[in-house]
């Protein structure tokens, strides 16, 4: 409501209320004057009744205004009408008391000049000063005719002169206050615009557009440092006829020297420079910006850890508010921008943390349902066979009974392995698994695992290409588990009959590389980074047909890394996958091993 009124009349409801109090005070002074004043013989005969009428008019107008204020709505014209009443009353009083011996009634004009300044700042004050001076010249002329004294033009010009000086002082002050208030309102609006979103680019866009408004610039650019020591315009208000952000600028130019942007960034300060048509050598950025500006204000944006960018406003004309003032406002805006950017970073970080947790939660749910399925299915089979055996023991032939018992055994072994996997996984996660590395002969280890897994890998021939004497420095049980998981996966995700190749290569750099190659379904590129995550299972239909828990590769990765190694995968969907494990070849290599360097896993 207040804002509304201020747009139309230049004052707020609160200001109207203040003026109403001043009017009551004025009416009271006039009433007191009526009681104690003794007219001179030369006074106008109706001086007392005239004063009563004017004081009454003031009070009546004020009553009407107070009524409007109570209803909370004051149309724009009410303020102007009240001003007109005030001017009439003041002029009336000046006219009534003009021929008093010591009359300096024109000082009353100051009241209406103040009110006009309050409402319409400098223009209002000067207009009122001129209007009331003209009125004064006329009544003074009338008085001189009536009382027969010479018309003293110098006295009138003195009154006009003093009135004008007063008007300039109070109007100028009012204008300054108003521009301060407008600047505050703009900054407030900028703060709202900057905090409206959490996207970096939208904040930067808001910063430059608010900077352009605040400074009245032709163009505003937010520069951020590039790796070469120069700056790129990450956001810009643009200009008609130019599109996209301006090109990058170097920090120092051989001809023009250091740009205002680089100077502001280095000193974390506001730097003001002349533009292409200014008196000083042009700032370097003139070469990449349209030459429509005469002055640039560059201010660093950033927090305690130093600037993160520079906000530059390119002005066509010198700032109306004055150089220091504009610098202060841009500094405030830069501080707001810093806050908004910091909030955005925190927000994004929190959001990705929440997303990661949500993801993990979903994977865990998947995992629970898979695990319960994985455990229940073999149990159901075991139960079914056991019931058959119990109920039909007598009638079943021997070989059938043996077959059922073998199948029960097979299911129980599978179950045992799966539970073992889960237990290992939980021990690995809680850091309880102890590893005892020793020099292991790779060829022997691979052959042992391959023959142990024959029943599982079965119809897929396993080619072993490990030169004799190749060794790795590893815990034998952990190494067996790594090989086991990779071979079982190679078998599960490929068709019967396709070959699986296990290769061992002495890398020559103290590391041994072990690769397991299959010609199976392969892995889509967007899943390559995820398959080593715990609980992650491929999304494809072919994967879902195979039973699994999604912890196998997570175990492998943990075991490999715990022994100073790395693991990576290459795969072509439909063509097969190659898992490569790099492990120290000897104890010395293990000790020299640096943390995982060539893994493509997260
Ligand atoms: P699981 O096999 O129980 O799902 P893993 O952690 O062993 O869990 O494997 C995670 C995922 O990686 C699998 O779901 C599958 O999508 C993919 N994957 C692993 N090994 C292979 C392979 N040899 N060929 C194709 N995909 C594989």
């Amino acid at each position: 409501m207040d804002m509304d009124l201020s747009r139309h009349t230049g004052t707020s409801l609160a200001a109207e209320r203040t003026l109403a109090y001043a009017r009551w005070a004025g009416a009271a002074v006039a009433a007191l004057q009526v009681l104690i004043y003794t007219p001179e013989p030369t006074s106008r005969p109706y001086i007392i009744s005239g004063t009563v009428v004017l004081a009454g008019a003031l009070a009546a107008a004020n009553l009407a205004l107070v009524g409007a204020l109570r209803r909370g709505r004051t149309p724009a014209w009410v303020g102007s009408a009240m001003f007109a009443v005030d001017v009439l009353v003041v002029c009336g009083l000046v006219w009534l008391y003009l021929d008093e011996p010591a009359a300096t009634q024109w000082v009353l004009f100051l009241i209406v000049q103040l009110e006009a300044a309050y409402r319409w700042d400098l223009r209002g004050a000067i207009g009122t000063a001129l209007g009331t001076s003209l009125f004064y010249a006329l009544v003074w002329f009338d008085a001189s005719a009536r009382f027969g004294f010479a018309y003293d033009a110098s006295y009138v010009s003195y009154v006009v002169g003093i009135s004008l000086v007063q008007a300039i002082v109070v109007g100028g002050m009012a204008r300054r206050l108003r521009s301060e208030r407008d600047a505050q309102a703009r900054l407030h609006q900028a703060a709202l615009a900057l905090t409206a979103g959490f996207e970096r680019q939208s904040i930067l866009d808001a910063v430059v557009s608010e900077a352009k408004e605040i400074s009245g610039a032709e163009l505003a650019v937010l520069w951020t440092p590039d790796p070469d020591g120069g700056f790129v315009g990450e956001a810009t208000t643009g200009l008609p006829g130019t599109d996209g952000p301006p090109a990058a600028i170097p920090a120092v130019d051989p001809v023009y020297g250091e740009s205002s942007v680089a100077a502001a960034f280095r000193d974390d300060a506001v730097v003001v420079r002349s533009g292409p048509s200014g008196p000083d050598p042009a700032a370097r950025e003139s070469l990449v910006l349209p030459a429509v500006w005469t002055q640039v204000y560059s201010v660093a944006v950033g927090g305690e850890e130093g600037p993160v960018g520079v906000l530059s406003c390119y002005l066509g004309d010198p700032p109306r508010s004055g150089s220091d003032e504009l610098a202060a406002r841009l500094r405030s805006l830069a501080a707001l921008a810093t806050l908004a950017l910091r909030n955005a970073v925190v927000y994004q970080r929190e959001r990705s943390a929440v997303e990661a947790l949500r993801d993990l939660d979903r994977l865990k749910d998947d995992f629970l349902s898979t695990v319960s399925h994985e455990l229940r299915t073999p149990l159901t089979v075991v139960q079914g066979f056991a019931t058959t055996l119990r109920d039909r023991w007598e009638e079943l032939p021997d070989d059938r009974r043996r077959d059922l018992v073998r199948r029960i055994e097979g299911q129980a072994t599978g179950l045992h392995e799966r539970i073992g996997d889960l237990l290992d996984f939980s021990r690995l996660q809680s850091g309880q698994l102890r590893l005892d590395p020793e020099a292991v002969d790779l060829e022997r280890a691979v052959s042992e695992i391959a023959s142990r897994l024959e029943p599982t890998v079965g119809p897929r021939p396993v080619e072993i290409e490990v030169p004799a004497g190749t060794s790795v420095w590893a815990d034998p049980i952990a190494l067996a588990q790594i090989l086991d998981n990779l071979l079982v996966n190679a078998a599960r995700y490929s068709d019967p009959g396709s070959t699986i190749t296990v290769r061992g290569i002495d890398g020559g750099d103290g590391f041994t590389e072990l690769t397991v190659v299959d010609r199976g379904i392969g892995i889509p590129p967007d899943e390559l980074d995820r398959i080593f995550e715990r609980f992650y299972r491929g999304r494809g239909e072919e994967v879902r047909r195979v039973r699994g828990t999604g912890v196998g590769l997570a175990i492998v990765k943990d075991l490999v890394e715990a022994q100073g190694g790395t693991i990576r995968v290459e795969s072509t969907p439909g063509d097969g996958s190659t898992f490569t494990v790099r492990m120290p070849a000897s104890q010395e290599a293990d000790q020299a091993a640096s943390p995982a360097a060539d893994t493509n896993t997260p």
Side-chain angles (χ1 to χ4, degrees):
M1 188 77 61
D2 277 13
M3 287 300 283
D4 231 35
L5 191 70
S6 87
R7 247 204 349 256
H8 297 300
T9 66
T11 57
S12 64
L13 269 184
E16 287 300 345
R17 214 167 274 137
T18 308
L19 289 171
Y21 291 135
R23 255 176 237 114
W24 288 131
V29 169
L32 188 69
Q33 191 76 355
V34 168
L35 290 179
I36 61 173
Y37 181 72
T38 321
E40 299 288 330
T42 53
S43 296
R44 301 189 199 266
Y46 36 79
I47 192 160
I48 295 295
S49 54
T51 307
V52 169
V53 167
L54 289 174
L58 202 58
N62 225 19
L63 270 180
L65 175 72
V66 168
L69 288 177
R70 272 226 185 91
R71 283 193 295 280
R73 287 196 66 81
T74 330
W77 59 266
V78 170
S80 311
M82 293 308 293
F83 178 69
V85 170
D86 295 339
V87 170
L88 281 177
V89 170
V90 163
C91 288
L93 287 173
V94 170
W95 181 75
L96 276 179
Y97 291 86
L98 190 74
D99 41 0
E100 279 301 289
T104 48
Q105 306 305 327
W106 59 272
V107 174
L108 284 176
F109 288 147
L110 180 59
I111 295 173
V112 279
Q113 278 174 27
L114 279 172
E115 184 181 342
Y118 202 28
R119 292 181 187 283
W120 301 289
D121 59 52
L122 191 60
R123 263 178 310 150
I126 291 181
T128 307
L130 289 175
T132 49
S133 299
L134 180 68
F135 172 76
Y136 188 75
L138 289 176
V139 290
W140 191 247
F141 183 73
D142 170 58
S144 66
R146 227 154 28 87
F147 298 106
F149 59 78
Y151 184 71
D152 188 351
S154 72
Y155 181 53
V156 172
S157 69
Y158 165 74
V159 169
V160 172
I162 294 291
S163 285
L164 274 177
V165 171
Q166 279 171 3
I168 288 167
V169 171
V170 299
M173 273 160 55
R175 166 178 275 186
R176 207 182 136 75
L177 282 175
R178 189 183 300 275
S179 97
E180 289 276 302
R181 193 189 68 175
D182 289 350
Q184 290 298 331
R186 268 238 70 87
L187 265 180
H188 180 70
Q189 202 172 319
L192 290 180
L194 258 51
T195 48
F198 287 112
E199 296 299 329
R200 179 183 162 84
Q201 194 57 48
S202 71
I203 293 174
L204 297 184
D205 289 343
V207 171
V208 288
S209 87
E210 292 300 326
K212 185 172 189 263
E213 282 292 323
I214 287 174
S215 61
E218 300 290 331
L219 172 69
V221 182
L222 201 128
W223 303 98
T224 50
D226 67 15
D228 307 332
F231 295 86
V232 267
E234 227 189 298
T236 172
T237 52
L239 271 183
T242 64
D243 41 289
I249 47 170
V252 179
D253 179 84
V255 179
Y256 295 103
E258 191 183 42
S259 69
S260 70
V261 180
F265 191 81
R266 190 199 50 223
D267 298 341
D268 192 2
V270 185
V271 171
V272 184
R273 293 263 179 89
S274 293
S277 38
D280 301 331
R284 163 64 189 156
E285 51 267 45
S286 63
L287 295 186
V288 293
L289 296 175
V292 290
W293 50 284
T294 56
Q295 236 186 348
V296 54
Y297 282 70
S298 286
V299 47
V301 175
E304 289 122 34
E305 307 86 41
V308 294
V310 172
L311 171 64
S312 296
C313 295
Y314 299 91
L315 278 68
D317 304 308
R320 285 230 263 138
S321 54
S323 181
D324 290 348
E325 222 117 299
L326 179 58
R329 284 175 200 170
L330 290 178
R331 255 212 176 289
S332 303
L333 182 68
L336 283 173
T338 304
L339 268 180
L341 287 172
R342 196 179 300 158
N343 286 346
V345 169
V346 172
Y347 173 80
Q348 296 297 357
R349 202 184 300 143
E350 294 291 308
R351 196 166 75 171
S352 23
V354 167
E355 264 162 21
L357 283 177
R358 217 176 270 156
D359 225 26
L360 192 62
D361 212 38
R362 217 193 46 246
L363 286 173
K364 229 170 199 161
D365 283 350
D366 271 6
F367 170 72
L368 278 179
S369 74
T370 327
V371 164
S372 55
H373 178 76
E374 286 284 299
L375 301 183
R376 207 176 287 139
T377 314
L379 273 178
T380 315
V381 177
V382 167
Q383 244 171 356
F385 290 161
T387 311
T388 312
L389 281 174
R390 189 195 59 207
D391 294 349
R392 302 173 53 203
W393 182 264
E394 305 298 341
E395 68 195 68
L396 283 175
D398 262 5
D399 57 340
R400 180 75 182 122
R401 283 200 297 241
R402 237 187 311 267
D403 177 48
L404 286 179
V405 170
R406 217 187 47 244
R407 287 190 195 206
I408 288 176
E409 196 186 9
Q411 293 290 339
T413 311
L415 203 55
H416 188 259
E417 277 172 5
R418 218 142 287 150
I419 291 173
D421 254 11
L422 292 177
L423 284 178
D424 280 350
F425 179 65
S426 78
R427 273 194 223 114
L428 262 177
Q429 292 291 302
S430 58
Q432 281 173 16
L433 200 74
R434 260 202 49 198
L435 299 171
D436 280 323
E438 59 185 68
V440 180
D441 182 79
L442 193 59
E443 191 196 10
R444 239 207 5 243
V446 173
S447 305
E448 267 175 30
I449 294 289
S451 62
R452 183 155 64 75
L453 289 181
E454 238 207 276
T456 323
V457 180
R460 298 163 190 85
V462 178
E463 288 174 357
I464 300 173
E465 297 173 10
V466 183
T470 313
S471 74
V472 283
W473 184 254
D475 178 301
I477 301 174
L479 181 66
Q481 215 169 347
I482 293 167
L483 275 165
D484 185 308
N485 269 301
L486 293 178
L487 272 172
V488 169
N489 273 356
R492 285 153 81 217
Y493 299 112
S494 62
D495 288 333
S498 69
T499 315
I500 297 169
T501 311
V502 183
R503 260 185 221 120
I505 303 160
D506 181 354
D509 55 353
F511 280 80
T512 297
E513 278 195 358
L514 171 77
T515 54
V516 177
V517 186
D518 66 55
R519 286 148 195 94
I521 59 171
I523 303 162
D526 62 327
E527 291 190 7
L528 284 177
D529 277 349
R530 300 211 59 189
I531 56 171
F532 295 96
E533 286 174 23
R534 53 192 161 143
F535 312 140
Y536 186 83
R537 299 213 64 218
R539 288 187 297 264
E541 222 175 273
E542 283 166 302
V543 172
R544 294 287 157 162
R545 272 207 293 270
V546 177
R547 291 217 225 122
T549 51
V551 295
L553 286 181
I555 293 177
V556 170
K557 181 171 185 270
D558 278 354
L559 287 175
V560 169
E561 286 178 356
Q563 301 181 87
T566 58
I567 181 167
R568 63 175 193 272
V569 60
E570 284 129 68
S571 183
T572 315
D575 231 24
S577 314
T578 302
F579 285 85
T580 306
V581 172
R582 239 172 87 87
M583 300 255 284
S586 61
Q587 187 169 16
E588 299 77 54
D590 180 37
Q591 278 157 3
S594 52
D598 70 339
T599 173
N600 64 349
T601 60

